[in-house]
Amino acid sequence: MTELWWQWLGLWFSAFSSATILPGTSDVVLVTMVNAHPQWWAWAWLVATVGNGMGGFASYWMGRLLPNKYKAPSKMIGWLHRYGYWALLMSWVPFIGDGLAIAAGWLRLNVYLSTLMLVIGKFARYGVLIFGTLQIIA
């Protein structure tokens, strides 16, 4: 496993950047990693979830640092007002998820509950990808 350190780092970085406004390809990297090393699927799930969760946390804090005169995307604010923290379970959705995390920070939602919901959503998404990949290669 230690000889794969650069691959683990690449997976983490890809997952992190995918959860920010930076472009990322975490799905492709995760599926490739699991396909190449199916015995390490649990570690891949953990590394991708931690990286993506940290990226979501960074997006939350980007929103938190925005001045009040800035207006976060109204659609995201509407979802957060309507569904509360539960809306953050959808933070894995491309483009929408970044806006949700930023809007949650801008609205000053509780950091602990926001982070929990961000991570749960990302954990579930990567689980679906991993188990789908394992079914295909089995």
Side-chain angles (χ1 to χ4, degrees):
M1 185 168 134
T2 56
E3 66 275 1
L4 303 175
W5 70 269
W6 60 274
Q7 292 177 356
W8 294 116
L9 183 62
L11 175 60
W12 180 89
F13 183 77
S14 176
F16 180 88
S17 66
S18 292
T20 66
I21 57 175
L22 299 171
T25 57
S26 66
D27 298 345
V28 173
V29 175
L30 178 65
V31 168
T32 302
M33 187 82 165
V34 171
N35 192 38
H37 308 286
Q39 71 276 21
W40 298 112
W41 67 267
W43 282 107
W45 195 357
L46 177 67
V47 169
T49 299
V50 168
N52 209 249
M54 290 173 76
F57 187 71
S59 292
Y60 171 91
W61 280 101
M62 281 189 260
R64 189 103 179 200
L65 295 173
L66 289 173
N68 285 337
K69 65 182 177 181
Y70 171 80
K71 186 69 171 160
S74 59
K75 189 174 229 175
M76 306 307 156
I77 291 174
W79 286 348
L80 288 168
H81 281 304
R82 185 172 184 178
Y83 301 110
Y85 296 100
W86 297 105
L88 293 172
L89 291 173
M90 298 303 292
S91 65
W92 58 268
V93 177
F95 305 111
I96 294 171
D98 301 341
L100 282 170
I102 291 169
W106 187 79
L107 289 171
R108 309 290 195 270
L109 296 183
N110 181 285
V111 66
Y112 301 110
L113 288 173
S114 296
T115 302
L116 178 66
M117 292 301 172
L118 288 167
V119 171
I120 289 171
K122 294 162 186 306
F123 178 81
R125 174 185 188 207
Y126 286 136
V128 169
L129 281 171
I130 287 170
F131 286 108
T133 302
L134 290 173
Q135 292 303 313
I136 291 170
I137 63 174

